[in-house]
């Protein structure tokens, strides 16, 4: 499974919004780190702990659920980082 750059942007942006609105963090804040929802969402993405599901519509009207953990590993392998 692979993610498009648009899906990655949507995942990180949606998770940053959730964090900004008070969702629990899935990564620890580092000592002295300021609360920055976008950077925290990027860290969650890079660590593969983003609690978001991607449903990709097909031309037939069917929807395919993407395995997000495998897709993130493939993204990191191909691009290295965000």
């Amino acid at each position: 499974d692979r993610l498009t750059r648009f899906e990655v942007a949507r995942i990180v942006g949606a998770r940053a919004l959730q964090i900004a609105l008070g969702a629990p963090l899935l990564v620890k804040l580092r000592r002295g780190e300021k609360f920055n929802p976008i950077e925290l969402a990027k860290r969650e993405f890079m660590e593969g702990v983003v609690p978001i599901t991607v449903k990709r519509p097909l031309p037939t009207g069917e929807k395919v659920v993407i395995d997000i953990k495998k897709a993130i590993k493939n993204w990191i392998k191909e691009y290295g980082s965000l």
Side-chain angles (χ1 to χ4, degrees), residues 1-3 7 52-58 62-68 70-71:
D1 294 335
R2 302 175 92 189
L3 294 172
E7 289 169 333
I52 291 179
T53 303
V54 175
K55 294 182 183 176
R56 193 178 288 160
L58 298 177
E62 191 179 347
K63 293 190 182 208
V64 176
V65 177
I66 303 299
D67 179 6
I68 193 73
K70 188 187 293 183

Side-chain angles (χ1 to χ4, degrees), residues 38-53:
I38 295 173
E39 291 303 317
L40 290 169
K42 285 180 183 180
R43 273 198 20 229
E44 286 186 356
F45 181 87
M46 294 305 293
E47 292 181 20
V49 294
V50 179
I52 291 179
T53 303

